[in-house]
């Protein structure tokens, strides 16, 4: 376009509308359209294939469910029926997802028109529908190519929509709220009933886990509660997980626990591998015997004569100290 | 005045801050079979894997208040497997929306002279236990169902006794810092194990 810089007005030059240029424009536009149409066709085909496979899966699971209901009627259990329902619901979900996928074209825009109706058997059709539709005739077509519901159903639906529109938005909202409230009340009643019947001992074997055990195990793995090797042999038996520290506190030599001054004699137990005592929990209460233990145990291994392992350990020790320093800083700041 | 959470700390030293997301629960012995069956259905299809590990926890008591903890783990049933050294930081609490326990985690494999090395460095063993159980995997999630055994004679892994009548169930993911969407996936998976097991985030400090 010849634009006039001076006046700022764009006036199309007569050259642009000359026949050769116009034809080339038209040509480009037509090719673009063609490519677009081709691409849409490919998309349509791909999405139809996906839909077909999903529907086939759904059909198979429905078929197997029906078989199960018919044949194993006597031995069927509720969980097994629930499993089948869950499978069907999952497949319907994936079907919905496929339909909603951005690459699927709007099927609403496609129209299926029967071109030829004949009362003769059609072998091709038989094969494709697995023997269900032998003839593409006047009785089959209205059912299979239906896009609107039955006239009676359509009437009912129209009736319902006019009723709904007549009520008005506020009243409709109130009705929705009351329905929700009734549903939640019902749910509460059911759960209360279930709980009461459980406590009545109707299902004695239902307990599959013990929260006290959970806490004991987590404590054992996290900081060694209950794993101390220096417990006097008779104090707590093997199958008692949930004593919240009654046995362990008496032994009390695990390094990460706070030392409770419950039983004085047990704390004088010799430390087999020099376990360090607990940290600044109760410094003032520690008896002197334990303090000397700390002093002896904190003697630096660097005082020992050189050994090859520790030479390699020097740079790593610095890194550990740095990490330790960082962690301490973090802890200190968190405690502020 | 608080230290910024580890998830916001910059990457230093060329390594990525890996965090461990953890959910724990337990199951009684008599319900173990049903849990294993359910896990076999839910998790990735692989041969059921059992493990027998001996874990030792080492402490380094510095001048500061809290000791530095390192966990050394060796496999008792797989000959030739490397030892495993792990550092676990303090769990980051405070975010109620995060469904899993999050803590800093550094893992390395080491050779067999790990205990000697740690002793030379000044670490002392605090406690040890034997873990025996099953391992399952689903994507990046790792599910371990194991029984904790107390070692009666220190150093002798043959004399053990079970700590309780339950198996500990742990669902863990090791992921780079900042990916909280992982905890949502873990929560969804944990929902599928109810009512057999209730996996939840348990703060170990509460149990001290």
């Amino acid at each position: 376009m010849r634009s006039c810089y001076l006046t700022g007005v764009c006036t199309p030059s007569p050259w642009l509308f000359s026949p050769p240029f116009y034809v080339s424009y038209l040509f480009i536009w037509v090719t673009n359209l063609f490519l677009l149409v081709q691409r849409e066709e490919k998309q349509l085909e791909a999405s139809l294939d996906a839909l077909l496979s999903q529907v086939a899966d759904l059909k198979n699971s429905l078929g197997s469910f029906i078989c199960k209901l018919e044949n194993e009627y006597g031995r069927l259990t509720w969980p097994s029926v629930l499993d089948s329902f869950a499978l069907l619901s999952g497949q319907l979900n994936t079907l919905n997802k496929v339909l909603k996928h951005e690459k699927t074209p709007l099927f609403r825009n496609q129209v299926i028109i029967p071109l030829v109706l004949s009362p003769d058997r059609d072998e091709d059709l038989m094969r494709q529908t697995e023997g269900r539709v032998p003839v593409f005739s006047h009785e089959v077509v209205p059912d299979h190519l239906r896009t609107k519901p039955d006239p009676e159903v359509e009437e009912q639906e129209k009736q319902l929509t006019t009723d709904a529109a007549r009520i008005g938005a506020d009243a409709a909202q109130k009705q929705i709220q009351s329905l929700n409230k009734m549903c939640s009340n019902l749910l509460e009643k059911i759960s209360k009933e279930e709980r009461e019947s459980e406590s009545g001992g109707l299902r004695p074997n239902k307990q599959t886990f013990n929260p006290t055990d959970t806490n004991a195990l987590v404590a054992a793995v996290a900081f060694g509660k209950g794993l101390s090797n220096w417990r006097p042999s008779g104090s707590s038996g093997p199958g008692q997980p949930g004593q919240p520290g009654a046995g362990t506190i008496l032994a009390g030599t695990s390094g990460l626990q706070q030392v409770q001054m419950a039983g004085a004699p047990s704390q004088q137990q010799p430390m087999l591998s020099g376990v360090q005592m607990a940290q600044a929990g109760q410094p003032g209460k520690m008896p002197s015997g334990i303090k000397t233990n700390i002093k002896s145990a904190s003697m630096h291994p660097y005082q020992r004569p050189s050994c090859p392992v520790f030479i390699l350990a020097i740079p790593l020790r610095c890194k550990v100290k740095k990490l330790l320093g960082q962690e301490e800083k973090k802890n200190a700041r968190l405690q502020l | 005045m608080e230290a910024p959470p580890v998830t916001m700390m910059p990457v230093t030293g060329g390594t990525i801050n890996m965090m461990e997301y953890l959910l724990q629960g337990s199951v009684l012995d008599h319900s173990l079979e049903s849990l294993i069956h359910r896990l076999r259905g839910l998790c990735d299809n692989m041969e059921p894997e059992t493990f027998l590990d001996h874990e030792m926890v080492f402490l380094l008591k510095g001048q500061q208040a809290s000791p530095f903890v390192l966990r050394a783990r060796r496999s008792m049933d797989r000959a030739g497997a490397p030892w495993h050294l792990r550092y676990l930081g303090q769990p980051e609490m405070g975010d109620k929306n995060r469904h899993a326990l999050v803590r800093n985690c550094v893992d390395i494999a080491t050779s067999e002279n790990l205990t000697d090395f740690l002793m030379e460095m000044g670490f002392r063993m605090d406690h040890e236990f034997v873990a025996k159980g099953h391992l399952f995997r689903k994507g990046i999630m790792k599910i371990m169902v194991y029984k904790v055994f107390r070692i009666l004679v220190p150093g002798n892994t043959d004399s053990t006794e079970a700590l309780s009548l339950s198996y500990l169930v742990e669902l863990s993911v090791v992921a780079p810092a900042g990916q909280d969407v992982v905890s949502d996936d873990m929560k969804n998976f944990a929902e599928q194990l109810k009512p057999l097991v209730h996996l939840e985030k348990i703060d170990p400090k509460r149990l001290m």
Side-chain angles (χ1 to χ4, degrees):
Chain A
M1 291 206 214
R2 182 187 59 188
S3 59
C4 190
Y5 314 104
L6 304 173
T7 62
V9 167
C10 271
T11 51
S13 79
W15 161 78
L16 217 52
F17 285 119
S18 64
F21 210 81
Y22 196 55
V23 165
S24 56
Y25 249 0
L26 195 65
F27 183 66
I28 294 174
W29 182 68
V30 163
T31 7
N32 272 342
L33 200 62
F34 180 63
L35 285 171
L36 189 72
V37 164
Q38 249 194 355
R39 200 179 25 199
E40 276 184 4
E41 269 181 22
K42 277 205 204 100
Q43 267 188 354
L44 186 64
E45 244 175 83
S47 57
L48 271 177
D49 283 334
L51 216 56
L52 213 62
S53 65
Q54 276 299 318
V55 170
D57 281 340
L58 196 58
K59 179 174 78 87
N60 285 337
S61 39
L62 270 172
S64 65
F65 186 33
I66 293 178
C67 266
K68 196 158 66 162
L69 280 176
E70 284 178 353
N71 299 339
E72 301 174 16
Y73 183 71
R75 310 176 257 127
L76 209 54
T77 59
W78 185 233
S80 151
V81 170
L82 277 181
D83 279 342
S84 311
F85 272 123
L87 183 64
L88 286 171
S89 125
Q91 285 182 334
L92 280 170
N93 266 337
T94 32
L95 191 64
N96 263 338
K97 267 196 231 154
V98 168
L99 281 173
K100 283 200 202 131
H101 189 52
E102 52 198 21
K103 287 231 171 72
T104 44
L106 281 174
F107 289 124
R108 240 174 233 277
N109 298 344
Q110 316 284 337
V111 178
I112 303 182
I113 312 174
L115 291 175
V116 172
L117 293 179
S118 78
D120 308 321
R121 272 172 80 88
D122 189 355
E123 286 310 319
D124 264 346
L125 192 60
M126 271 276 274
R127 221 176 338 113
Q128 281 195 340
T129 57
E130 295 170 16
R132 286 190 304 266
V133 184
V135 182
F136 199 58
S137 73
H138 310 76
E139 13 181 76
V140 156
V141 161
D143 283 330
H144 281 80
L145 298 186
R146 181 187 290 280
T147 50
K148 284 166 71 156
D150 276 345
E152 302 100 29
V153 176
E154 211 176 345
E155 268 304 308
Q156 284 183 348
E157 226 183 297
K158 214 161 43 158
Q159 186 84 12
L160 280 173
T161 33
T162 45
D163 281 342
R166 205 177 348 117
I167 294 181
D170 284 340
Q173 196 64 19
K174 275 207 209 74
Q175 288 191 358
I176 293 174
Q177 279 173 359
S178 58
L179 178 67
N180 282 342
K181 206 159 56 154
M182 278 195 283
C183 284
S184 49
N185 280 348
L186 201 59
L187 275 173
E188 263 181 47
K189 280 209 172 76
I190 294 177
S191 56
K192 198 164 61 161
E193 188 57 47
E194 201 185 9
R195 258 182 284 134
E196 278 169 14
S197 74
E198 249 183 13
S199 65
L202 285 179
R203 276 177 281 177
N205 297 334
K206 260 316 168 178
Q207 198 64 13
T208 52
F209 67 94
N210 184 356
T212 356
D213 273 359
T214 313
N215 288 342
L217 285 169
V218 169
V221 172
F223 47 84
K225 191 172 189 177
L227 293 176
S228 164
N229 292 327
W230 303 284
R231 179 169 317 140
S233 45
S235 72
S236 72
Q240 293 169 16
Q243 312 293 327
T248 51
I249 284 176
L250 277 181
T253 52
S254 177
L256 290 173
Q257 286 179 341
Q258 306 251 336
V259 175
Q260 311 275 331
M261 303 289 124
S266 54
Q267 274 131 24
Q268 307 300 327
Q269 284 171 20
M271 300 201 192
L272 295 174
S273 37
V275 166
Q276 320 285 344
M277 284 309 292
Q279 63 275 29
Q282 298 139 8
K285 292 191 201 167
M286 281 197 228
S288 52
I290 295 182
K291 253 198 192 143
T292 50
N293 267 339
I294 289 180
K295 247 205 277 184
S296 60
S298 66
M299 218 177 63
H300 261 253
Y302 289 172
Q303 319 283 342
R304 293 211 290 270
S306 63
C307 65
V309 178
F310 110 88
I311 286 179
L312 291 168
I314 292 177
L316 208 58
R317 170 105 185 173
C318 300
K319 181 123 189 177
V320 166
K321 273 202 158 141
K322 203 161 66 161
L323 252 172
L324 198 59
Q326 270 181 7
E327 169 137 320
E328 274 325 299
K329 266 190 238 151
K330 188 166 108 165
N331 277 344
R333 268 186 266 161
L334 284 171
Q335 281 163 11
L336 270 173
Chain B
M1 196 155 126
E2 234 177 43
V6 182
T7 43
M8 277 164 44
M9 270 163 40
V11 171
T12 51
T15 54
I16 303 177
N17 246 348
M18 295 300 269
M19 310 295 288
E20 188 199 33
Y21 296 78
L22 184 66
L23 282 177
Q24 290 167 308
S26 78
V27 71
L28 291 169
D29 287 348
H30 55 74
S31 309
L32 176 72
E33 277 308 304
S34 5
L35 179 67
I36 300 278
H37 282 308
R38 195 180 277 209
L39 283 172
R40 280 185 72 172
L42 288 172
C43 297
D44 292 345
N45 193 13
M46 32 175 259
E47 280 304 311
E49 212 173 292
T50 55
F51 66 90
L52 178 63
D53 282 354
H54 173 211
E55 175 154 333
M56 294 168 271
V57 178
F58 288 86
L59 293 189
L60 180 65
K61 186 87 168 66
Q63 295 86 5
Q64 298 91 349
S66 62
F68 188 70
V69 179
L70 278 184
R71 294 165 186 272
R73 202 155 171 143
R74 72 173 177 107
S75 170
M76 283 165 49
D77 58 350
R78 280 182 183 71
W83 285 55
H84 182 223
L85 185 64
R86 173 173 251 218
Y87 163 73
L88 289 172
Q90 292 296 322
E92 286 177 23
M93 305 306 294
D95 188 359
K96 290 286 176 287
N97 289 339
R98 219 186 276 146
H99 305 292
L101 194 78
V102 185
R103 50 193 184 181
N104 194 12
C105 154
V106 181
D107 284 300
I108 40 170
T110 69
S111 57
E112 289 163 357
N113 50 355
L114 179 63
T115 34
D116 299 332
F117 181 75
L118 289 174
M119 298 296 237
E120 297 295 339
M121 292 269 294
F123 284 84
R124 291 291 171 260
M125 185 167 83
D126 179 52
H127 61 269
E128 54 179 349
F129 60 89
V130 168
K132 177 171 161 49
H134 305 259
L135 175 68
F136 297 89
R137 199 172 293 281
K138 183 173 173 67
I140 52 169
M141 295 195 285
K142 180 170 78 165
I143 300 103
M144 292 193 290
V145 180
Y146 60 96
K147 207 164 178 57
V148 176
F149 290 86
R150 192 193 315 138
I151 293 179
L152 297 168
V153 176
N156 184 2
T157 50
D158 293 325
S159 64
T160 59
E161 71 175 359
L163 192 62
S164 85
L165 296 173
S166 295
Y167 277 69
L168 183 63
V169 183
E170 277 187 352
L171 168 63
S172 66
V173 175
V174 176
Q179 292 196 3
D180 279 346
V181 76
V182 155
S183 66
D184 291 331
D185 292 337
M186 289 171 72
K187 178 161 177 287
N188 292 339
F189 187 77
E191 290 290 318
Q192 302 191 331
L193 288 180
K194 291 186 177 170
L196 274 180
V197 193
H198 273 235
L199 288 175
E200 51 195 1
K201 75 173 171 181
I202 302 177
D203 184 10
K205 287 207 260 293
R206 233 184 350 111
L207 303 170
M208 267 197 164

